[in-house]
């Protein structure tokens, strides 16, 4: 799919200690405790917030447990990440923002009546996140949240959060069937893509954020697990076929916590349909030619070229069966993540998670996937992080040693036995 890059980041260390990796988690989550969002809301929303918070029942056990403060306790978080070998993180949302029924990553699209309050809640989260990132300068790239219902408001928030110091880009909401907003391939969103390209703001699309509501029956929950990553993948082909990257060549898309083994097969599929439809459009009018009409002109480059030039994957806890695909995915595209503080994350066994994935992989390649690529995409300063890694980072020799036994208590799918390549 892509040739090995000649300028792929290496494991350079500013302090002259080349025996440890600088690990940046490209997938972590945080948020304020519910009532701590109040000071970040405009005062005109305080009364409504008080009424909402008084009756809200949090549906998430992990946000009610004694470990919930890992989401907002800056010192605890730094300590636990350092103990896990991680010196910096990309911070996605986790806790419930004001006026939302659930975490915003999974919340349904707002009705018109809910819209103003939901926007106020997301702005409050973004303000809180800017302060949270400022508490650990250079070590957190916060991902700002937007809604798609009003594109002009979204662009305004993108510019404001960039100025406020959030360097993780934006979280692109899903547009599942029935959401009431245009599909992601729509040119309606061009002002958003233009602002992100202009400002160098990555567009992040996180797994689990694009599935339609399915209900609570056991079958529905199983179907959700089967389909959720597919619905998240849709953003990739929507933006490619929609021509967003032709109109905005500086746009960067990051697909996070959706795995990575599916990418080669999906890109082969997209190339196939692109070539087939473009070819059909150049022939006499047939049923199929109409499907490809105008596609070549609107898209510009083919899918694999777009992937090569504009796309990245927050592969999270990369699994052993995915690693041999790294050249087909693109070594310069892959960013490892611990998914802290989620139960399915690798904490506190991230070193073991790195070993089970990367033992036997050349050192410069590991360095790129566990930190160098994320530094480049999100603007982390390795000169600041390398001295921290010299103290806290995992040793190169340690990660090179195959993991013989999964730690007791490890809950991450990174340690699941077996596994095959996902092709969709």
């Amino acid at each position: 799919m892509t040739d090995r890059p000649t300028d792929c980041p290496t494991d350079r260390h500013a302090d002259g200690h080349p025996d440890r990796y600088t690990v940046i988690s490209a997938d972590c989550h945080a948020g304020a405790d519910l009532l701590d969002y109040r000071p970040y809301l405009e005062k005109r929303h305080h009364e409504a917030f008080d009424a909402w918070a008084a009756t809200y029942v949090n549906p998430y056990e992990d946000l009610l447990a004694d470990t919930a403060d890992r989401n907002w306790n800056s010192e605890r978080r730094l300590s636990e990440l350092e103990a896990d070998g991680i010196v910096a993180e990309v911070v996605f949302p986790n806790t419930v923002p004001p006026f939302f029924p659930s975490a915003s990553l999974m919340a349904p699209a707002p009705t018109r009546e809910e819209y103003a309050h939901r926007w106020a809640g997301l702005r409050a989260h973004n303000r809180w996140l800017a302060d949270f990132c400022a508490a650990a300068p250079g070590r957190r790239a916060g991902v700002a949240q937007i809604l798609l219902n009003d594109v002009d408001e979204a662009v305004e928030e993108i510019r404001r959060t960039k100025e406020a110091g959030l360097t993780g880009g934006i979280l692109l909401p899903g547009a599942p069937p029935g959401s009431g907003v245009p599909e992601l391939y729509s040119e309606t969103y061009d002002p958003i893509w233009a602002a992100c390209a202009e400002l160098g703001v990555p567009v992040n699309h996180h797994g689990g954020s694009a599935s339609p509501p399915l209900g609570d029956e056991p079958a529905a929950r199983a179907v959700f697990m089967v389909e959720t990553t597919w619905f998240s993948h849709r953003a990739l082909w929507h933006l490619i076929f929609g021509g967003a990257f032709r109109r905005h060549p500086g746009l960067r898309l990051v697909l996070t916590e959706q795995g990575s083994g599916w990418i080669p097969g999906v890109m082969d599929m997209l190339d196939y349909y692109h070539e087939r439809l473009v070819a059909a459009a150049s022939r006499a009018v047939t049923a199929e030619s109409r499907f490809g009409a105008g596609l070549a002109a609107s898209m510009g480059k083919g899918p694999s070229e777009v992937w090569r030039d504009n796309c990245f994957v927050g592969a999270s806890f990369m699994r052993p069966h995915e690693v041999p695909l790294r050249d087909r995915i693109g070594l310069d595209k892959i960013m490892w993540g611990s998914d802290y503080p989620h139960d399915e994350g690798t904490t506190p066994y991230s070193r073991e998670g790195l070993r089970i994935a990367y033992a036997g992989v050349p050192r410069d390649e590991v360095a790129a996937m566990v930190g160098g690529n994320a530094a480049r995409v999100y603007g982390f300063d390795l000169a600041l992080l390398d001295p921290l890694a010299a103290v806290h980072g995992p040793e190169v020799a340690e990660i090179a040693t195959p993991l013989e036994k999964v730690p007791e208590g490890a809950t991450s799918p990174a340690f699941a036995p077996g596994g095959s390549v996902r092709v969709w």
Side-chain angles (χ1 to χ4, degrees):
M1 182 188 308
T2 59
D3 295 329
R4 185 185 300 277
T6 57
D7 61 346
C8 192
T10 64
D11 54 338
R12 56 166 290 275
H13 290 266
D15 64 351
H17 290 273
D19 57 344
R20 292 178 183 264
Y21 289 117
T22 300
V23 180
I24 301 170
S25 173
D27 179 27
C28 288
H29 296 263
D33 198 3
L34 187 67
L35 296 180
D36 289 341
Y37 278 124
R38 190 179 192 273
Y40 291 94
L41 283 164
E42 297 96 336
K43 288 184 179 179
R44 60 193 173 95
H45 294 297
H46 282 183
E47 184 176 348
F49 172 79
D50 292 342
W52 172 80
T55 60
Y56 183 75
V57 178
N58 197 315
Y60 299 108
E61 292 182 7
D62 62 316
L63 297 180
L64 299 172
D66 58 4
T67 55
D69 75 323
R70 292 184 296 180
N71 286 282
W72 56 79
N73 184 328
S74 183
E75 292 304 315
R76 175 177 184 172
R77 190 180 184 98
L78 287 173
S79 176
E80 292 189 359
L81 288 171
E82 288 173 353
D84 215 24
I86 298 166
V87 296
E89 56 176 329
V90 179
V91 186
F92 287 88
N94 198 43
T95 64
V96 180
F99 306 115
F100 275 72
S102 59
S104 55
L105 193 66
M106 302 289 291
T111 64
R112 184 170 298 178
E113 293 73 24
E114 295 168 330
Y115 175 72
H117 277 154
R118 295 277 189 93
W119 245 127
L122 289 193
R123 289 193 181 102
H125 171 83
N126 292 341
R127 295 185 187 105
W128 174 88
L129 184 59
D131 282 353
F132 187 69
C133 291
R139 301 183 67 178
R140 293 173 180 150
V143 179
Q145 297 188 79
I146 62 170
L147 288 172
L148 297 177
N149 305 60
D150 186 316
V151 169
D152 290 338
E153 277 200 283
V155 169
E156 181 181 338
E157 187 67 2
I158 290 167
R159 294 189 180 280
R160 190 196 68 77
T161 53
K162 172 74 173 182
E163 292 176 2
L166 294 184
T167 58
I170 65 165
L171 177 63
L172 176 63
S179 67
V181 299
E183 297 281 3
L184 292 178
Y185 55 69
S186 173
E187 292 188 25
T188 300
Y189 302 122
D190 263 15
I192 293 176
W193 314 144
C196 290
E198 172 199 339
L199 299 173
V201 169
V203 174
N204 305 277
H205 193 58
H206 195 283
S209 62
S211 298
L214 294 170
D216 296 321
E217 295 182 36
R221 293 192 290 271
V223 168
F224 173 83
M225 287 301 297
V226 171
E227 295 181 345
T228 183
T229 51
W230 183 86
F231 275 107
S232 296
H233 300 343
R234 292 173 79 228
L236 175 63
W237 52 80
H238 277 228
L239 268 66
I240 288 177
F241 285 117
F245 300 102
R246 179 190 64 80
R247 296 188 298 275
H248 311 285
L251 184 65
R252 291 176 296 162
L253 175 67
V254 183
L255 303 170
T256 297
E257 203 177 325
Q258 305 175 32
S260 60
W262 60 275
I263 292 168
V266 164
M267 295 312 302
D268 287 346
M269 177 192 70
L270 298 181
D271 283 339
Y272 164 75
Y273 277 108
H274 173 256
E275 293 169 8
R276 172 179 162 183
L277 293 174
V278 168
S282 66
R283 297 194 294 267
V285 175
T286 65
E288 187 161 279
S289 70
R290 287 189 285 270
F291 285 97
L295 188 63
S298 66
M299 282 181 60
K301 297 179 293 188
S304 281
E305 294 176 283
V306 171
W307 178 265
R308 179 195 66 201
D309 295 339
N310 301 89
C311 302
F312 303 86
V313 58
S316 298
F317 30 79
M318 206 170 184
R319 295 164 183 140
H321 68 268
E322 296 173 297
V323 177
L325 297 171
R326 63 191 182 278
D327 285 330
R328 293 186 63 199
I329 297 168
L331 183 62
D332 59 335
K333 304 294 180 184
I334 298 168
M335 298 179 289
W336 179 90
S338 69
D339 199 26
Y340 178 94
H342 290 164
D343 289 343
E344 65 267 28
T346 53
T347 305
Y349 305 110
S350 290
R351 288 179 172 84
E352 290 82 357
L354 292 169
R355 287 173 60 190
I356 200 170
Y358 296 127
V361 175
R363 176 178 152 191
D364 62 330
E365 298 184 17
V366 176
M369 291 185 284
V370 305
N373 293 336
R376 177 165 47 87
V377 172
Y378 294 104
F380 287 101
D381 183 358
L382 289 175
L384 182 150
L385 298 179
D386 287 345
L388 293 167
V391 178
H392 304 291
E395 294 182 353
V396 171
E398 176 187 6
I399 303 306
T401 304
L403 186 68
E404 296 182 356
K405 183 180 179 182
V406 173
E408 291 186 17
T411 57
S412 173
F415 302 107
S420 59
V421 177
R422 295 282 295 275
V423 297
W424 54 268

